[in-house]
Amino acid sequence: MTENLKEKFIIEKNDKVGRYTVASEDLKPGQLIFEELPFAYGPKSDTYCMCLGCSAHVDCTNLCSKCSWPVCSTECENLPVHKDNECQVFANANVKFQSVNDPSEICLQYECITPLRVLLATEKDPERWKTEVQIMEHHNEERKKRPIWQFNQTNVVDYLRGPCKLERFSEDLIHTVCGILEINAFESRTPSGSMLRCLYPKLAIMSHNCVSNVHHAIDCAGKFDSKDFRVFVRSATDVKKGEELYSSYTYSLWPTIVRREYLRESKFFDCTCPRCSDKTELGTHMGTLKCQKCDNGVIMSTNPLDNTCEWKCTHCEFKTNGVAVRKVFAAIQADIDGVEGLFGAEGIEAREALFRKYRSVVHPKNAYMTILRSSLVQLYGNSEGYTVDDLPDLLLERKIELANLLMEVLDKIEPGFSRIRGITLYELHAPILILARHQYQSDLINKEALEKQMKEALHTLGKAAEILKNEPLSTPEGQIGQLAQMAHQQLTENFDLMVENA
């Protein structure tokens, strides 16, 4: 996966935003800009009990023979990420893991692990700490005013300097490390499905935009050493030399009022990007509601950069405010969270029920309808009893409709080479192909129309393969990308025969 290419960005600085990156040459979609190893990585805050080697979920019955903290096995206790970091500290200080009643619940004992790994990395690689990491944003002065400061004081600072006997790390340094992690870390998934946070100094320099022009993919090879979790940063769209490179620090499918709230609370800035500044969210209406007082009106913010401003109907005199709208969105999100763990037929039926429940409340392309569409597109065709070959024509049409409406939104907010666009295109190609064959066999379309629809499926599959080809094979998206490339080649080679035998 490693590509030894010259980095295609330069770092610039101004008084308004500080450091930021621009393209050092013209970039095409999918082009590698740089790759980077994390300075450190480890458990997220508020995590459940996990192996300190491979990060898999554990029941805490197996403990490391040296430090007595949870691991899966002797093999895991000897993985470098654990053996060369906290294991030595805990063993030397005789700090043992305290048993818990439910390993699946949040375990505060893990709060210290990733900050500790960063602190130890400052000693192992002082040059990188000094030149890349120490200068990252931490917002200590603002964080001191929030509950997180005392939380870290108790669960990280006092624990490391007290029982762990790490007085060599000052309170100020430990708080700074906590701040750097909270504001700059990126999430990554392990092969077991656990989510970790990784610190990438170069990637973190990139400014935020709610419509990013770069895409990053993290490769977890499963070695859990200093060479694992390499990130590959690529252009998502065409970028001209000298144009700023933008990452995204938030979830693109959230509406503006939710994204801005998250960025203010977690990243300490108010986003004023073009998407946030537009009442229609670039024409997607992801934050728009339907008016309940008239037939044709929709309710939009009068000032999307003010979360408490007035929201007005476009056709009648109805008014509300951002606080009330936020409560509506929170209620919908709670309902969606409630079905998040449901899959198969049950998951499909639960999400379709929510779709029906809220279609009279929010705009058809509202963020929460988009989130439901994204889930349903992947469930239809990939669930027991609902495999793509099982689906009747009515549900094939439903999957196609869901995917096409989702793509209309993604083309605006996730343009170019993004994982969600690649996955959606992959999910779209098969129902187009199968439905065309069914319609031809039922004499609903002629051979010319059949060939046209099959070419559409081929093109859709090819685009999916092109987008996903650079995803690491250690990820589900990378594995789907490999399947897409093989399927595209096979369909291309046998296209005429498939049309003839339809």
Side-chain angles (χ1 to χ4, degrees):
M1 187 67 192
T2 302
E3 300 177 38
N4 295 315
L5 299 175
K6 179 182 141 186
E7 293 178 342
K8 296 176 174 59
F9 75 100
I10 56 175
I11 300 173
E12 297 190 352
K13 186 176 182 179
N14 63 32
D15 294 335
K16 184 178 180 181
V17 299
R19 297 184 304 156
Y20 62 99
T21 59
V22 300
S24 58
E25 59 183 71
D26 291 348
L27 299 171
K28 294 293 183 184
Q31 192 168 350
L32 184 68
I33 302 172
F34 67 90
E35 57 186 67
E36 181 181 19
L37 287 168
F39 183 71
Y41 62 87
K44 294 171 55 182
S45 188
D46 295 337
T47 190
Y48 50 74
C49 294
M50 61 172 59
C51 172
L52 289 180
C54 73
S55 300
H57 196 163
V58 293
D59 61 11
C60 299
T61 57
N62 194 78
L63 303 178
C64 174
S65 64
K66 301 179 183 68
C67 70
S68 298
W69 278 63
V71 291
C72 292
S73 61
T74 302
E75 181 182 358
C76 282
E77 77 173 60
N78 288 315
L79 287 172
V81 69
H82 172 60
K83 181 182 177 183
D84 299 340
N85 286 296
E86 66 277 349
C87 184
Q88 297 175 10
V89 172
F90 294 154
N92 291 340
N94 197 28
V95 173
K96 297 181 179 180
F97 184 79
Q98 302 300 307
S99 62
V100 297
N101 292 326
D102 187 351
S104 66
E105 296 290 335
I106 291 172
C107 181
L108 296 182
Q109 295 178 73
Y110 282 82
E111 294 297 326
C112 72
I113 300 298
T114 308
L116 174 55
R117 290 179 181 177
V118 174
L119 290 165
L120 295 174
T122 69
E123 298 177 329
K124 297 173 187 175
D125 194 350
E127 183 60 27
R128 193 178 182 197
W129 164 254
K130 182 179 178 181
T131 59
E132 296 185 8
V133 185
Q134 190 176 19
I135 55 178
M136 297 169 80
E137 294 283 1
H138 51 74
H139 291 281
N140 277 354
E141 291 308 310
E142 291 182 74
R143 289 172 58 252
K144 283 178 182 178
K145 305 169 188 175
R146 298 189 178 184
I148 188 64
W149 186 269
Q150 187 55 51
F151 178 86
N152 287 332
Q153 182 71 43
T154 301
N155 295 289
V156 184
V157 178
D158 292 344
Y159 187 73
L160 292 180
R161 285 175 52 80
C164 294
K165 302 176 183 178
L166 295 176
E167 296 91 345
R168 70 182 188 268
F169 298 122
S170 69
E171 288 197 13
D172 183 63
L173 175 60
I174 299 173
H175 275 299
T176 294
V177 164
C178 289
I180 287 172
L181 282 167
E182 288 161 16
I183 293 161
N184 300 280
F186 288 81
E187 289 188 357
S188 177
R189 187 193 298 115
T190 69
S192 66
S194 294
M195 299 303 294
L196 301 182
R197 50 180 171 171
C198 305
L199 197 57
Y200 300 105
K202 290 178 184 175
L203 179 56
I205 296 173
M206 290 185 173
S207 299
H208 164 80
N209 193 300
C210 290
V211 180
S212 61
N213 58 8
V214 302
H215 165 72
H216 74 269
I218 298 172
D219 186 5
C220 175
K223 296 180 180 179
F224 297 97
D225 58 16
S226 60
K227 303 298 182 184
D228 212 348
F229 290 93
R230 184 183 297 272
V231 66
F232 297 85
V233 182
R234 300 176 183 274
S235 49
T237 62
D238 286 310
V239 182
K240 296 295 183 183
K241 179 180 179 179
E243 285 185 1
E244 188 167 359
L245 297 168
Y246 292 108
S247 181
S248 177
Y249 304 165
T250 186
Y251 184 42
S252 66
L253 298 192
W254 283 339
T256 291
I257 196 170
V258 177
R259 293 194 316 279
R260 296 188 79 246
E261 178 184 285
Y262 170 81
L263 292 168
R264 164 45 43 196
E265 291 299 313
S266 64
K267 308 298 181 183
F268 298 91
F269 72 91
D270 293 308
C271 186
T272 58
C273 74
R275 180 182 170 191
C276 284
S277 302
D278 182 4
K279 298 175 185 178
T280 69
E281 296 204 37
L282 308 179
T284 64
H285 287 280
M286 291 188 74
T288 302
L289 296 90
K290 286 184 177 179
C291 183
Q292 305 300 304
K293 302 295 182 181
C294 67
D295 292 334
N296 299 315
V298 293
I299 301 167
M300 292 188 291
S301 170
T302 57
N303 180 8
L305 300 183
D306 178 1
N307 283 8
T308 62
C309 76
E310 189 173 71
W311 287 56
K312 297 173 66 174
C313 176
T314 55
H315 279 61
C316 73
E317 299 301 314
F318 178 76
K319 299 176 184 178
T320 186
N321 58 66
V323 176
V325 170
R326 184 67 186 89
K327 288 180 180 178
V328 172
F329 288 166
I332 302 175
Q333 183 66 65
D335 273 355
I336 292 176
D337 291 344
V339 302
E340 191 66 28
L342 301 180
F343 301 99
E346 186 183 15
I348 290 173
E349 290 163 9
R351 287 170 177 84
E352 288 284 19
L354 289 181
F355 205 93
R356 291 190 296 271
K357 178 179 178 180
Y358 289 113
R359 65 187 175 190
S360 63
V361 177
V362 298
H363 189 280
K365 293 182 182 177
N366 179 276
Y368 298 102
M369 303 302 268
T370 301
I371 290 169
L372 288 170
R373 282 192 187 96
S374 179
S375 296
L376 286 167
V377 162
Q378 295 186 53
L379 287 172
Y380 279 124
N382 299 295
S383 303
E384 186 176 351
Y386 287 87
T387 66
V388 72
D389 291 324
D390 293 332
L391 295 179
D393 287 359
L394 189 65
L395 291 183
L396 288 171
E397 291 172 350
R398 174 65 171 155
K399 181 172 171 109
I400 292 169
E401 175 195 30
L402 289 165
N404 282 329
L405 284 170
L406 178 57
M407 284 300 300
E408 288 180 17
V409 173
L410 296 179
D411 286 343
K412 297 286 188 179
I413 65 168
E414 289 262 3
F417 282 32
S418 73
R419 270 185 292 272
I420 190 171
R421 290 186 77 253
I423 293 296
T424 304
L425 287 166
Y426 180 75
E427 291 294 337
L428 179 57
H429 90 277
I432 293 176
L433 198 64
I434 295 170
L435 183 63
R437 190 184 302 130
H438 288 178
Q439 291 177 333
Y440 177 69
Q441 291 169 350
S442 301
D443 293 326
L444 295 174
I445 59 174
N446 58 25
K447 183 157 282 191
E448 184 180 356
L450 168 70
E451 186 172 355
K452 180 180 179 181
Q453 290 184 37
M454 290 183 67
K455 283 182 178 178
E456 180 188 350
L458 179 63
H459 173 76
T460 300
L461 178 60
K463 192 64 180 177
E466 184 183 12
I467 291 173
L468 297 174
K469 68 181 179 182
N470 292 317
E471 294 295 317
L473 286 177
S474 62
T475 66
E477 297 85 2
Q479 293 161 21
I480 291 172
Q482 190 176 55
L483 289 174
Q485 291 182 68
M486 292 188 293
H488 183 258
Q489 181 179 352
Q490 185 178 24
L491 185 56
T492 301
E493 291 173 353
N494 299 296
F495 185 83
D496 292 338
L497 184 62
M498 289 181 67
V499 172
E500 189 62 34
N501 292 336

